Amino acid sequence: MPSDPLVAQHVLEFPGGYTRTTGPVIGRFLSELRARRLVGVRTAEGRVLVPPLEYDPATGEAVTGEYVEVGPAGTVTTWAWVDEPLPGHPLDRPFAWALIRLDGADTDLVHALDPGNPKALRQGMRVWPVWREQPKGHITDLSHFVPEVTQIVSDVRAEYRLQAGGALRVFLEGVERGVLLGGRCERCAKVYVPYRAACPECGSALPDTFEVPDTGTITTFAINNLPDPRAPQVPFVSAYILLDGTDIPMIALVGDVPAHEVRQGMRVRAVWVPESERTASMANIRWFAPTGEPDVELS
Ligand SMILES: [Zn+2]
């Protein structure tokens, strides 16, 4: 009759702590570690061993006893990925055992590396130590390594005041009164809004301004998924709107319509803020809203 193999589970551990002496060299290394410094020892040939050893493994000669501060940053030489950390491992999340060449060292230190994203791991990656809060003179005083900071996320906010020049001032003063002022080039007959002093196409000076309608047609548009303080909601639509009788579209928000219903050729009209709130700024136009007229065929 077949019998199951006999299996006995053994665990070898020293629950009370296993005390051993470190010897002078490793003792120095661990003492420096407790002070959050990484040191190596110089060999007779001038190489720096990290962690320090009593004898140069290459020659068998005793080391010089000269301790050299290295790191704290280093470069990853190679690594082994640990998908499921075991109870005794330094980290409780996936990490890498890495060979790290600390700056100034000639040998590699094995230690845990938390790259954040395993895809970020690569040879030559620059890493920095993370120290344990309560050092106790153990290799775990150096908790693990993490990648060098290569980018930061910061909020960006630019506030600026536009000093309107002659033509723009004329245009914005019109906007304050609730009218859009354009200019016509006498040479190429194009109508520009906002009004400007010279024709951008032929350079001719534009004579007087005249009022253009606040109705127009959407020529192109973009659906934006990032919030904008001027926009009614997210997503919102910004569009090029060709005002009636003009030749150059102006950019504006489109509102009072779901973003997915906005289309090229859609007829729109400016939605102005109440007269009492108007200033000499484009904020007077909240956005352009559909008029309900049939779409226009764009040429
Ligand atoms: Zn012109």
Side-chain angles (χ1 to χ4, degrees), residues 191-264:
V191 173
Y192 297 102
V193 63
Y195 168 72
R196 59 200 77 189
C199 172
E201 208 157 287
C202 71
S204 304
L206 299 189
D208 288 343
T209 60
F210 66 96
E211 287 183 25
V212 298
D214 66 355
T215 53
T217 302
I218 293 176
T219 61
T220 60
F221 64 94
I223 296 178
N224 306 275
N225 290 293
L226 291 175
D228 183 300
R230 297 162 301 173
Q233 76 277 311
V234 174
F236 69 92
V237 176
S238 54
Y240 276 112
I241 294 164
L242 189 61
L243 293 177
D244 295 336
T246 70
D247 292 291
I248 299 289
M250 58 185 279
I251 194 162
L253 296 175
V254 176
D256 300 340
V257 57
H260 66 270
E261 286 180 21
V262 175
R263 53 196 182 269
Q264 287 182 307

Side-chain angles (χ1 to χ4, degrees), residues 60-84:
E61 274 185 82
V63 296
T64 61
E66 181 197 343
Y67 290 90
V68 180
E69 190 165 350
V70 294
T75 302
V76 172
T77 312
T78 182
W79 70 87
W81 186 247
V82 180
D83 236 340
E84 290 176 11

